[in-house]
Amino acid sequence: MTGMDVIMGLKQLVYEIEEISLDNRDLIVNETVFHNANGYIGIRSNFEEGYPEGYDTIRGSYINGFYDIAEMSQAEKLYGLVEEKQTMLNVADTQTIRLTVDGEKFSLFEGRVLSGRRWLDMEKGVSKRAVQWRSPSGKEIEITITRMASFHQLSLFTIEYGVKALNFKGNLEFESFHYGKAENYSNENDPRVAKESGRYLVPAEAEMDGGESYLTSHTSKSGLSVCTGVAHRLSKECRIVTSHDAENHCVVSNMELPIDQNERVTLIKYTVFGDSIRNPDLTRHVKEEMKKALGLPLSYYYEEQKAYLLEFWSNCMLMIEGDDALNEAVNYNMYQLVQSVGKDEYCNITAKGLSGEGYEGHYFWDTEMYIEPFFNLTEPAVTKNLISFRYNTLKQAKENARLLGHAKGALYPWRTIMGIECSGYFPSGTAGYHINGDIAYSIVTYYLATKDLDFIANKGAEIIFETARLWMDVGNYREGSFRINEVTGPDEYTCMVNNNYYTNVSAQYNLSWAYKFYYMLEAAGWRQAADRIGLTEQEVIEFKQAADAMYLPYDSELGINPQDDSFLDKKLWDLENTPREKFPLLLHYHPLHLYRHQVCKQADTVLAHFIFEDAQPLEVIRNSFAYYEKVTTHDSSLSTCIFSIMASKLGLEEKAYEYFGDSAKLDLFNTHKNTKDGIHTANMGGTYMAIVYGFAGLRIKESGLYFAPAIPKQWEGYKFQIRYEDSLIRVEVEPDKSVFTLVKGTGKTVYVYGDSYILTDQFVVPRKHL
Amino acid sequence: MTGMDVIMGLKQLVYEIEEISLDNRDLIVNETVFHNANGYIGIRSNFEEGYPEGYDTIRGSYINGFYDIAEMSQAEKLYGLVEEKQTMLNVADTQTIRLTVDGEKFSLFEGRVLSGRRWLDMEKGVSKRAVQWRSPSGKEIEITITRMASFHQLSLFTIEYGVKALNFKGNLEFESFHYGKAENYSNENDPRVAKESGRYLVPAEAEMDGGESYLTSHTSKSGLSVCTGVAHRLSKECRIVTSHDAENHCVVSNMELPIDQNERVTLIKYTVFGDSIRNPDLTRHVKEEMKKALGLPLSYYYEEQKAYLLEFWSNCMLMIEGDDALNEAVNYNMYQLVQSVGKDEYCNITAKGLSGEGYEGHYFWDTEMYIEPFFNLTEPAVTKNLISFRYNTLKQAKENARLLGHAKGALYPWRTIMGIECSGYFPSGTAGYHINGDIAYSIVTYYLATKDLDFIANKGAEIIFETARLWMDVGNYREGSFRINEVTGPDEYTCMVNNNYYTNVSAQYNLSWAYKFYYMLEAAGWRQAADRIGLTEQEVIEFKQAADAMYLPYDSELGINPQDDSFLDKKLWDLENTPREKFPLLLHYHPLHLYRHQVCKQADTVLAHFIFEDAQPLEVIRNSFAYYEKVTTHDSSLSTCIFSIMASKLGLEEKAYEYFGDSAKLDLFNTHKNTKDGIHTANMGGTYMAIVYGFAGLRIKESGLYFAPAIPKQWEGYKFQIRYEDSLIRVEVEPDKSVFTLVKGTGKTVYVYGDSYILTDQFVVPRKHL
């Protein structure tokens, strides 16, 4: 048994489709589903040889955090509205390889496909395509293509293209392309992507170095450069003839060679990506990276890839027994998280990972509320990176606060690449002040999971102090309570309201922890954060007072927390009689109409009840869940996972399972019909959360580690490992009991169903129903 | 004494500036101040000979209701957001005439200006410029230029250009230009006008007919055409040499002739404007209009102009004794209203009249709330036209309602030219649902002033029924009262709120009158309006129920009507400590920041208290006035006139006078610093209202005609005439008494200070202090 077998109990970590559909709708979705990424680069899984003319395709390669500036014209110009946004670029196309067999071009759309499979091997970290094909004239070949975005060398993407002649002897020709002038996707039939179109990269330099080509392009406005290097290696002797066009944007490498019957010829195409954000001496850097890649056999990289993932899977091991489809979906989702998340301080994790152009490569609150909860438990160093990114952009957040009229504090952008606000429609963008509370919450959560006070002292506290200051400036006292007006909560179907419950309770937490950290750090003799920003004790006392006086809307008649001051005054949307084709509502109703109704795009108060469960009695949480469930459309992909978690908490097992399934299958089944634009990373984190925080009832609080395991009746069992402080803990849940094992580290107190246990080796708790 | 002398008591209706400033800032403002218009065409008062290179100028000619479609890109595309707007075009430039005297070009910026005056003769309906000028070589000439937009023939604009040689005998050359390719104003230093720039007209045909030129251009998208015809007549024999360029966009007419010392030579330049909205057979129509103009002496048109204005001034006579400056300002404002208001069913009155490009020639609620109150009392047929325009666009208003999600009713656009919504920023545009209430209110007001039930039966009722239907769809019952959520009231510094007092009380009025008119018309046997739209009695009963149950926010502690449900919860803006240069606030603060504060751009609840004074006890109105006065910036030009009226009502005479002065002087003193972009027509109506509804306390109610005359202590007296039903009534107010005279028509009951009088001939009421 391999190391992975041990971890995963012999489950294979492979997502496969048995037959390759040539339907355009499937192809474009599979470009996303099978994409390769490593957190630095992402390459969509296009066919190397392309599709026929007229097919809709997004042939993209992306670099995390690399952007240009695009104009965003406001229909009416008001003070402070955003008119420029950072936008992720399609940086190059190096995946195009055309194969000709004795003069016949290989294409799945011609001749006959004898067999075809595509799969993603999440243990090896590669995607594969295997095809047996008969050409129109009857020549049969077997093609096996392996694609990898290397975790070991983040700049590297490889395509290993194997061809075997099955029933003939003849000639092969590879035409391999290196385009430096890629364009972002646009579709004139879809107004949502039509306007974002256009090319931002300007080809600048082309350098041929032996058989290698290096193309450098500049962005049009952001002053950045990107360089891609391409090299080829063949399994047998072959002359490579390279030519390039005058405009420095396309290099073609021609390789012609004979092939015997049953011979297998392999072409390895190496692409190295580099950008001027990380490497000012760009071309040299890319050449060095290429030299490194070519200096080692590809098998070395494959081994390293596998080793990296072995480590990953060991940390985040999660397995469902008795439901292979869901097990696969959950592991697929976790794999996408490691593919997507930035590995350095220059970037974060985009809403669509590096798999597509939806949301333009922007970072949202998704990071803090849906992604970090996964990494906190599996690889807290990643969370630390993600928080550091926020720390690095604190300056811009302060500038943003000033623009919004705030004399003090920092307001993080609703969506951004490098820290500036890129939200064109502020009512459901910039007005989402809860982003501040989310970031503060995530820092506290990281601290509670790791007790890394050093990081708090150096970076975390400063963010928490500046966001706390902002709440003081935005809020005001009225009738003895502290209120926050004119903000938008998580639910984007209700905008610019007063006292959004989620926002207020987040602000309360933010303010309280600013107070706590201030004194914790002072006690530890670490005053640098407070000193750096001139934070006074008086301010901190006021933080505490505002937190204590925070107004949290409550309706005594319904026994729920209203989403905001006026939510319950509004008309109820008649969801039952809304035709299916009218969903998602945002594509079919004017915002004013949505805002005027009690209808939610996503979890809002229900999410607040999850993350701040101690703020309300269980009965209120139960009532709220029931109330909001009736008015929520889940048009946002951030919603069902939260409803699943809360259904678990409330003992609504059927519902929990159903919501979990909706979340888990979102991308693999394209249930939101937009997977072509990229995966939904937040939901992927949410799927994990629905198991660990949902079914297993994990909570990390100041007072310790809590579980309340439940298990869907469809499952035989499930297990996972989490890191907590210095320990690694395994949790195995079966229908009648849960087993807690200390895999590594020191013993811990663990609360299960409210009872405390000392975990030094292992203990078992019988199932308790809520 | 002339007829006008009798009316105006020998006051001259002339606005004059003694010295012509050549400062660019003055010149561009005076282009507006001295513009000529007649409700169909408007021509800015540029110097015929132009300014030096680099001067900022808006050289425009406009046709009321003539538009092109312009793209309005939304930074984020949400369902139903407006992406195309109708925009007024600069249709041609026919005012350019260059004069050369013995080879020296006439320009006020060269040689020496010996004397110079500009004035607007509001009795004759012309603007004039008179200059004595010495050329660099010492030749002296006297130039007198008279410009007129004819009220008698709406298509016609004339320039009478007289030159007298004072100290020499020599040669004159006129070069007269006819440009068909005018462009709208843009200024790259001012982002508010930079993006609206660009040319929408495409020159299409040029025709030379004798010495006349006809240029036709097409709009780029709206499918409309405009044609201008130009002809010249000289006071002495002269050959006119006409040439035109290949692109059909510029015709030049050259005229050279000798001049004797002390001889006066006059060139008359005729321009005739035509558009395809009103005249499908466009060129022929324009030629016929030209033929008509050339067939009569210019003196005939001058006489007709004067006669038209004599009639106008007789109807709207208003005179202030003891304050010539304010008297002049008020009469200037009334003159602008007759210049600006549309004279046919194809148009309305734009926010800037036909004097500039601000607000792109759009029609707003200004029409109903600030302009019609003037015409109701002076020329109700104009109001009828303005309402008919709304009737003609009812279909688009219904479509707009559907787009906004309403199953029933009509929602008028916040800004429009031909009936479609042109508001790019919906929170302070489309969300201003009170436009519906305003239109309904204006119809009721027209009815109360005229008792023209016939018009109600044919047009008015249908609008009132459809707007009432919309309130039923937008509102909802809660706790027994009828609420209206997520709308924006008149105050644009607070957007998308629940139960805006103004909106709710307007809706209440609209619903009540829908009920009343339904039964009034039924009683009169006129069911056509209800039948046409399938209005049922059940609906009408529900209108009444909603009106009766209408929720009107009231704060018992302050004893005021809060502007909306949450207005009082917000922070007070510290107006006292806001630096002067930060006004208007909208140019210096983000909308979210404004919306989060108690700060008003303009009268909102105070306006509601004016138009629906019986909805609240006087004490509440008094408290509200005091409260809102403290938080209102008057950044809108629609504000001070209303505060003046309400100060009058509340006996706050000093305040009333001060606010009145602010309103009256707005354009002549350019106090809002944007008169260059056009006059503020609504404020001009407001100035009139501040006297008649304010100082004189006029109200027209179902129960009759009310006055409560007061007089600013600075004045000796003031008088005005109003029409009421079939009568013409003169009111003369002096410090100690008021005299009411029936000038024409049948006797009326009039309430003065609450007491009723029968007006058959004249009665006098001594001054009563409130």
Side-chain angles (χ1 to χ4, degrees), chain B residues 207-214 230-233 242 287 290 294:
Chain B
E207 202 180 321
M208 304 297 117
D209 188 355
E212 298 155 27
S213 56
Y214 295 92
V230 167
H232 300 87
R233 289 292 180 268
T242 296
K287 284 184 177 176
M290 181 62 89
L294 297 176

Side-chain angles (χ1 to χ4, degrees), chain A residues 473 478 485 498 569 571, chain B residues 473 478 566 569 571 596:
Chain A
D473 195 78
R478 178 162 167 82
N485 293 323
N498 302 330
D569 294 340
K571 289 186 189 186
Chain B
D473 195 79
R478 180 162 164 83
S566 69
D569 293 342
K571 291 187 189 186
R596 190 175 289 127

Side-chain angles (χ1 to χ4, degrees), chain A residues 559-616:
Chain A
I560 68 168
N561 296 112
Q563 189 168 299
D564 59 69
D565 278 355
S566 68
F567 188 79
L568 299 177
D569 294 340
K570 296 182 179 174
K571 289 186 189 186
L572 277 162
W573 188 289
D574 184 2
L575 281 178
E576 265 180 34
N577 291 308
T578 304
R580 280 187 72 82
E581 66 271 18
K582 292 286 192 181
F583 294 89
L585 300 182
L586 75 158
L587 295 184
H588 302 95
Y589 296 93
H590 193 285
L592 267 178
H593 194 67
L594 294 169
Y595 300 171
R596 190 175 289 127
H597 285 84
Q598 289 188 51
V599 63
C600 300
K601 188 180 174 194
Q602 62 204 98
D604 189 303
T605 309
V606 171
L607 174 57
H609 287 329
F610 162 45
I611 61 175
F612 306 115
E613 64 178 20
D614 298 328
Q616 299 297 334

Side-chain angles (χ1 to χ4, degrees), chain A residues 3 18 178 272 296 319 364 399 438 643 744 753 768:
Chain A
E18 285 291 334
H178 179 188
V272 166
L296 291 159
M319 218 189 68
F364 293 80
E399 287 164 3
D438 302 330
F643 272 81
K744 276 201 301 206
Y753 304 125
K768 192 168 152 187

Side-chain angles (χ1 to χ4, degrees), chain A residues 77-342:
Chain A
K77 293 175 192 316
L78 302 178
Y79 178 87
L81 298 202
V82 175
E83 299 231 67
E84 274 190 351
K85 62 182 167 188
Q86 299 169 329
T87 186
M88 185 176 75
L89 292 178
N90 182 3
V91 294
D93 174 13
T94 69
Q95 59 177 309
T96 300
I97 301 172
R98 292 194 197 131
L99 170 67
T100 307
V101 182
D102 271 355
E104 289 179 296
K105 280 224 157 109
F106 165 64
S107 162
L108 295 185
F109 299 87
E110 283 163 40
R112 185 162 163 208
V113 179
L114 305 172
S115 71
R117 294 166 56 210
R118 293 181 84 170
W119 69 101
L120 182 66
D121 188 323
M122 299 181 278
E123 189 179 326
K124 295 184 176 151
V126 295
S127 65
K128 301 194 87 159
R129 179 161 62 122
V131 175
Q132 285 201 353
W133 180 74
R134 183 186 297 148
S135 76
S137 76
K139 300 206 169 68
E140 292 179 11
I141 53 172
E142 186 183 271
I143 292 181
T144 315
I145 301 168
T146 305
R147 296 157 66 112
M148 174 178 70
S150 171
F151 287 111
H152 180 65
Q153 184 180 331
L154 294 176
S155 62
L156 182 64
F157 171 66
T158 57
I159 301 176
E160 185 185 1
Y161 196 124
V163 185
K164 186 175 172 185
L166 298 178
N167 66 351
F168 71 102
K169 171 184 173 168
N171 278 302
L172 292 187
E173 186 191 349
F174 290 106
E175 245 187 323
S176 174
F177 291 78
H178 179 188
Y179 291 105
K181 190 178 152 183
E183 293 186 16
N184 280 71
Y185 178 68
S186 68
N187 180 339
E188 62 188 24
N189 296 320
D190 183 348
R192 286 168 298 169
V193 282
K195 294 291 279 191
E196 313 300 352
S197 69
R199 171 173 46 90
Y200 305 95
L201 278 180
V202 183
E205 289 164 39
E207 203 179 321
M208 304 298 114
D209 189 356
E212 298 155 27
S213 57
Y214 295 91
L215 297 182
T216 303
S217 299
H218 302 321
T219 58
S220 66
K221 285 195 181 168
S222 64
L224 302 177
S225 304
V226 60
C227 177
T228 44
V230 167
H232 301 86
R233 290 293 180 267
L234 281 143
S235 56
K236 63 190 272 191
E237 189 83 2
C238 173
R239 196 163 153 244
I240 302 177
V241 181
T242 296
S243 59
H244 74 96
D245 68 341
E247 286 169 337
N248 292 337
H249 76 265
C250 178
V251 180
V252 188
S253 299
N254 273 279
M255 293 153 273
E256 276 190 62
L257 68 174
I259 189 165
D260 274 334
Q261 188 164 350
N262 286 323
E263 186 186 358
R264 188 183 151 87
V265 169
T266 302
L267 165 69
I268 304 174
K269 183 171 184 179
Y270 294 85
T271 305
V272 166
F273 292 83
D275 68 84
S276 61
I277 301 173
R278 292 157 176 95
N279 298 98
D281 191 357
L282 182 57
T283 317
R284 196 168 78 180
H285 164 77
V286 172
K287 285 185 178 177
E288 277 166 12
E289 290 284 300
M290 180 62 88
K291 194 174 167 191
K292 191 167 128 191
L294 297 176
L296 291 159
L298 185 55
S299 58
Y300 169 82
Y301 282 97
Y302 286 152
E303 282 308 312
E304 288 293 329
Q305 188 83 343
K306 205 170 152 184
Y308 182 93
L309 288 168
L310 181 60
E311 171 76 14
F312 170 74
W313 290 117
S314 330
N315 287 332
C316 73
M317 187 279 280
L318 190 153
M319 218 189 68
I320 300 168
E321 306 268 4
D323 194 334
D324 288 352
L326 276 175
N327 185 60
E328 178 179 82
V330 170
N331 281 288
Y332 177 86
N333 288 357
M334 289 194 289
Y335 182 74
Q336 295 308 333
L337 293 178
V338 73
Q339 281 214 117
S340 304
V341 74

Side-chain angles (χ1 to χ4, degrees), chain B residues 459-495:
Chain B
K459 297 186 175 173
E462 196 170 328
I463 296 177
I464 289 189
F465 295 154
E466 290 289 10
T467 48
R469 275 178 164 170
L470 191 100
W471 295 122
M472 296 307 292
D473 195 79
V474 68
N476 62 299
Y477 281 94
R478 180 162 164 83
E479 292 168 0
S481 65
F482 193 80
R483 319 276 183 115
I484 296 170
N485 292 323
E486 211 65 33
V487 296
T488 299
D491 167 33
E492 294 176 7
Y493 285 171
T494 310
C495 285

